[in-house]
Amino acid sequence: MASRLNPYISFTGTAKQALDFYQEVFGGSPEINTFAQFDQAPPGYEDKIMHGMLETPAGFTLMVSDNPPGMEHTVGNNISISLSGDDDTELRGYWDKLAARGTVSVPLEMQMWGDVFGMCTDEFGINWMVNIAGQPS
């Protein structure tokens, strides 16, 4: 899979409604994973979106999630840029450069869903997420 770059927007409990709206606007079929599917549901968040993705017929990709309680959410600052794919060397190279003079909020390491993932803010204040897909078994 080639690496992709796309927006990733966070919400405070309305990610499903937003994803449904964007589907109406752009078409496509959303993929949704809830907090409960990963046994990570804070109380009342069982059906909230831990990760959602909409791929459209025009080739657009939009990702969304609901922030869990206690995680800061400021409209306008609730968007990150996501880099994802399965080329470990390429994506780690991007990560190293983005994080070098920035701030790492989630180290680039293996996650419960089987991928290597990290989050950082670059030196210009832009939020980045890097996800390196796990190898199929």
Side-chain angles (χ1 to χ4, degrees):
M1 154 180 38
S3 297
R4 79 169 77 184
L5 181 144
N6 59 274
Y8 200 116
I9 307 170
S10 63
F11 296 89
T12 56
T14 59
K16 174 72 168 85
Q17 294 88 331
L19 199 57
D20 289 344
F21 170 73
Y22 297 133
Q23 179 185 18
E24 288 178 23
V25 172
F26 299 112
S29 298
E31 296 177 25
I32 296 173
N33 294 21
T34 65
F35 283 91
Q37 287 175 279
F38 289 98
D39 297 324
Q40 296 293 311
Y45 261 63
E46 294 80 7
D47 64 340
K48 300 300 181 191
I49 296 178
M50 184 175 185
H51 174 74
M53 182 169 69
L54 178 66
E55 293 185 289
T56 73
F60 303 147
T61 300
L62 179 66
M63 296 181 180
V64 301
S65 66
D66 285 309
N67 276 357
M71 193 170 177
E72 185 178 333
H73 182 270
T74 304
V75 174
N77 292 337
N78 59 323
I79 188 166
S80 298
I81 301 172
S82 172
L83 282 168
S84 58
D86 59 7
D87 188 324
D88 186 89
T89 302
E90 177 183 38
L91 291 164
R92 283 182 188 276
Y94 295 144
W95 169 265
D96 290 344
K97 292 173 186 174
L98 290 165
R101 293 190 302 253
T103 304
V104 172
S105 54
V106 175
L108 187 65
E109 59 190 23
M110 183 63 68
Q111 300 297 324
M112 65 188 144
W113 58 87
D115 294 348
V116 172
F117 174 82
M119 293 172 52
C120 69
T121 303
D122 70 20
E123 64 186 293
F124 299 102
I126 304 301
N127 298 316
W128 293 88
M129 300 173 153
V130 175
N131 191 89
I132 305 168
Q135 298 301 312
S137 33

